[in-house]
Amino acid sequence: MPGVFVLLWSTGFIGAKFGLPYAEPMTFLVLRFAIVTVLLCIFAGLSGAPWPRDWKTAGHIALAGLLLQAVYLGGVFASIYHGVPAGISALIVGIQPLLVAAAAGPVLGETVTKRQWLGLVLGLGGVILVVWTKLDIGIGTLWGYALSVIALVGITVGTLYQKRYCPGIDLRSGTAIQFAATTVVLVPFALLFETRQVQWTGEFLFALGWLCIVLSLGAITLLFILIRRGAAAKVSSLFFLVPPCTALVAWPLFGEQLSLLALAGMAATMAGVALVNIAPKA
């Protein structure tokens, strides 16, 4: 399951870059989330999924969804739209495991061992090395990179919030609530700041379909299952593998070059993930 999640999650950055030439980021996401909301509501209804019994629980679920969907994906899509390569956006967001590990102790009461910390620092060093080799070329804009950082904060806080306040939600009804809330929040951004014009090309339809079915239904469900079953720091360490996977796919598709230093950074990242995930329990 972790390996499948990493592969699917990595294609999200590729799908974003593939479809964004034909629609602006918030318009793209509103279309995506509206479709997924309808599909999930139908599935939850037909399968008899239980819905939250009170507004407080529903609010926690919706807020976690806004962090994991609106802030995170909104930041990533806008960042790529403003010229940041898919690989670099994935690398910036890849710092997330270190932030989660630092907060998992005081927020969730989880124990992060010294060996896990070593793995997290090694993974962070690998990410920084790859980012440094890319930034040295001068690709993207300062605002674009800032949007990736905003996405990083969103998925970090969202992971911790989901683990603490929504550990037992039904994945069918819970994700339907989250995507519905995200759609409502992003609509004003599309109305106020974008033209909402869409070029319905074959490439855009493929990207939209892939992101709706494979990412929003497949990868997000896997993420919630992993968060529910594992410690937040260990689950988050999987995100260190996403940048190398994204960069490897983006290389032949979009010509995003990989230098020897970048490959070395990827190797360090993979070693860091291994240390975090095979660490013995404290």
Side-chain angles (χ1 to χ4, degrees), residues 1 44 47 92 103-104 146 154 174 183 188 214 221 239 246 269:
M1 187 181 296
S47 61
I92 294 173
T183 303
V214 178
T221 299
F239 284 92
T246 301
T269 295

Side-chain angles (χ1 to χ4, degrees), residues 2 9 14 22 42 47-48 65 73 89 126 154-155 240 261 272 281:
W9 198 268
I14 303 302
Y22 309 103
I42 293 174
S47 61
L73 287 178
S89 182
I155 195 169
F240 269 144
L261 280 176
K281 295 183 179 180

Side-chain angles (χ1 to χ4, degrees), residues 6 30 38 54 68 72 84 90 115 161-162 216 224 230 233:
V6 170
V30 167
V38 172
D54 56 82
L68 290 169
Y72 167 62
V84 176
R115 187 174 183 177
Y161 195 92
Q162 176 92 2
S216 293
F224 289 169

Side-chain angles (χ1 to χ4, degrees), residues 185-230:
V185 168
L186 291 184
V187 164
F189 287 91
L191 292 174
L192 293 174
F193 303 111
E194 297 182 350
T195 64
R196 302 173 301 285
Q197 294 180 353
V198 177
Q199 300 178 46
W200 297 96
T201 64
E203 291 83 357
F204 177 76
L205 290 173
F206 175 80
L208 181 62
W210 181 271
L211 292 174
C212 286
I213 305 300
V214 178
L215 266 296
S216 293
L217 297 182
I220 294 295
T221 299
L222 284 178
L223 174 60
F224 289 169
I225 293 173
L226 290 169
I227 290 174
R228 179 181 296 179
R229 294 183 178 179

Side-chain angles (χ1 to χ4, degrees), residues 4-246:
V4 173
F5 167 75
V6 170
L7 179 61
L8 294 182
W9 198 268
S10 300
T11 64
F13 297 89
I14 303 302
K17 184 157 186 174
F18 203 65
L20 280 172
Y22 309 103
E24 293 162 295
M26 297 303 109
T27 300
F28 194 169
L29 286 174
V30 167
L31 288 172
R32 171 185 174 182
F33 292 149
I35 293 171
V36 174
T37 299
V38 172
L39 293 176
L40 283 172
C41 286
I42 293 174
F43 178 65
L46 293 177
S47 61
W51 294 84
R53 297 183 177 180
D54 56 82
W55 286 105
K56 181 178 180 180
T57 302
H60 282 310
I61 294 172
L63 182 54
L66 291 177
L67 291 167
L68 290 169
Q69 306 294 344
V71 179
Y72 167 62
L73 287 178
V76 167
F77 271 58
S79 176
I80 294 174
Y81 183 77
H82 283 279
V84 176
I88 296 181
S89 182
L91 288 165
I92 294 173
V93 179
I95 302 173
Q96 183 249 18
L98 185 59
L99 301 183
V100 170
V107 176
L108 302 177
E110 296 179 3
T111 300
V112 182
T113 67
K114 292 181 179 179
R115 187 174 183 177
Q116 286 177 308
W117 274 113
L118 175 61
L120 290 164
V121 172
L122 182 60
L124 175 62
V127 169
I128 291 175
L129 181 59
V130 180
V131 171
W132 177 69
T133 60
K134 290 286 188 177
L135 291 178
D136 205 38
I137 305 175
I139 299 175
T141 65
L142 182 60
W143 174 235
Y145 291 111
L147 288 167
S148 284
V149 173
I150 292 172
L152 165 64
V153 174
I155 195 169
T156 301
V157 179
T159 298
L160 295 169
Y161 195 92
Q162 176 92 2
K163 181 71 175 180
R164 180 167 183 175
Y165 294 105
C166 315
I169 68 170
D170 185 273
L171 292 176
R172 297 162 294 179
S173 59
T175 50
I177 292 172
Q178 292 185 335
F179 281 113
T182 303
T183 303
V184 171
V185 168
L186 291 184
V187 164
F189 287 91
L191 292 174
L192 293 174
F193 303 111
E194 297 182 350
T195 64
R196 302 173 301 285
Q197 294 180 353
V198 177
Q199 300 178 46
W200 297 96
T201 64
E203 291 83 357
F204 177 76
L205 290 173
F206 175 80
L208 181 62
W210 181 271
L211 292 174
C212 286
I213 305 300
V214 178
L215 266 296
S216 293
L217 297 182
I220 294 295
T221 299
L222 284 178
L223 174 60
F224 289 169
I225 293 173
L226 290 169
I227 290 174
R228 179 181 296 179
R229 294 183 178 179
K234 291 187 67 175
V235 172
S236 294
S237 69
L238 295 172
F239 284 92
F240 269 144
L241 288 175
V242 172
C245 289
T246 301

